[in-house]
Amino acid sequence: VTGHGVTVGDDKTVVVLTSERGANLTLDGTGAPAADTGLKVTAGAMVSLVGDKKEQEGSFVVENYANGGMELTGKAYINDEKEVIISNNTKTGNGAGIATSSYLEIRNNDNVTISGNEATGKGGGIYNTGTVSIRGNSGLVVFEDNTAADGGNDIYNAQEGIVNIADNGYVLFKGTGSDKAAVVNDGVLYLQSGQVGEEGEEHPAEIIFNNSALDSTGGTTYVGQDVNGVKADTEVEFHNTATGEYLNIAQRDKTVAV
């Protein structure tokens, strides 16, 4: 879909099988009206996007929208895709890549990339006042070159928000070098590693903040457990990060600061 956004409303449930014959769903805002959002799900509605990661089929892409990539007051599930890409969207306000006040699940995909999104408010990549679950993605989960004038370049989790990042492959917050933290958590944030490597030689996948920081002074961050209280050895690394990168951490099972 090029030049228009897609809205799901009226309490509808829409299921999109991007695995059908290698199909991809791409929402491209090039030429779209400035007021268009890539995917808007209104209250009471639900969207489920389902690929076939095992067969390396199916991708979901939202890019180049001037009023945000995704706006969710209803629920959205993005599962089993080969690639999930939310990129190069802008927003006057909060949440250029994704703004959600409901429930968003990004689960069991291969690679997830949220990059190049720019907000004049908070949350360049994701602005959350609901629940966001990013879990079980086996490849790379990358937040890169997102910007937000008022903080939370990659993720801004508001006071009422819950963000669960758990059981993934490598997770990378690749900063822009700005003085804004990559992740600002004023609610509850869970950081837990998945396991990578050959069977019998598995080790925790790292969660890496590169040239970026985590600011949890207004909320609580749990390292080494997920939203359900399941614990796992977890390594969080900081590279080229200013002091104060780790603030108000409730639990640190296994943390490496570099």
Side-chain angles (χ1 to χ4, degrees), residues 11-258:
D11 297 331
K12 291 180 179 178
T13 296
V14 174
V15 178
V16 180
L17 300 177
T18 60
S19 60
E20 292 296 315
R21 298 181 181 178
N24 300 312
L25 175 59
T26 298
L27 304 178
D28 186 347
T30 302
D36 273 19
T37 299
L39 176 61
K40 184 179 290 188
V41 183
T42 64
M46 185 188 79
V47 168
S48 180
L49 304 166
V50 184
D52 190 342
K53 184 179 67 172
K54 182 178 180 180
E55 299 298 327
Q56 292 289 288
E57 292 184 344
S59 295
F60 175 58
V61 180
V62 182
E63 58 188 3
N64 303 321
Y65 282 90
N67 193 38
M70 297 174 64
E71 181 179 314
L72 308 174
T73 54
K75 297 179 179 180
Y77 300 82
I78 306 171
N79 299 328
D80 296 309
E81 303 282 2
K82 178 183 177 183
E83 301 282 345
V84 177
I85 301 172
I86 313 294
S87 68
N88 300 322
N89 302 287
T90 60
K91 181 77 172 288
T92 301
N94 302 325
I98 302 169
T100 178
S101 59
S102 182
Y103 182 80
L104 169 64
E105 179 180 273
I106 302 175
R107 185 173 185 177
N108 291 340
N109 304 286
D110 193 350
N111 297 311
V112 178
T113 303
I114 299 176
S115 66
N117 301 289
E118 182 178 351
T120 63
K122 301 172 181 178
I126 298 175
Y127 178 81
N128 177 51
T129 59
T131 299
V132 173
S133 181
I134 302 173
R135 67 176 302 148
N137 301 289
S138 58
L140 288 171
V141 178
V142 178
F143 292 82
E144 182 174 9
D145 294 335
N146 300 296
T147 59
D150 294 334
N153 285 334
D154 292 327
I155 300 175
Y156 190 99
N157 189 37
Q159 185 174 7
E160 60 272 42
I162 298 172
V163 173
N164 183 45
I165 300 175
D167 197 28
N168 298 290
Y170 290 99
V171 179
L172 173 63
F173 295 94
K174 189 174 182 180
T176 61
S178 79
D179 61 351
K180 304 294 191 299
V183 178
V184 173
N185 174 42
D186 288 338
V188 181
L189 170 65
Y190 297 89
L191 295 175
Q192 182 214 66
S193 291
Q195 300 291 312
V196 293
E198 299 295 330
E199 186 174 354
E201 298 180 355
E202 294 177 331
H203 57 88
E206 295 167 328
I207 299 172
I208 301 171
F209 287 77
N210 185 48
N211 201 27
S212 58
L214 164 62
D215 182 352
S216 190
T217 52
T220 302
T221 296
Y222 295 92
V223 175
Q225 73 178 63
D226 68 5
V227 68
N228 298 312
V230 177
K231 296 183 179 181
D233 284 346
T234 296
E235 294 187 4
V236 179
E237 293 192 2
F238 292 91
H239 297 271
N240 304 319
T241 301
T243 58
E245 69 271 13
Y246 234 147
L247 304 171
N248 194 24
I249 304 303
Q251 179 178 336
R252 295 172 61 166
D253 281 350
K254 188 177 182 183
T255 300
V256 180
V258 178

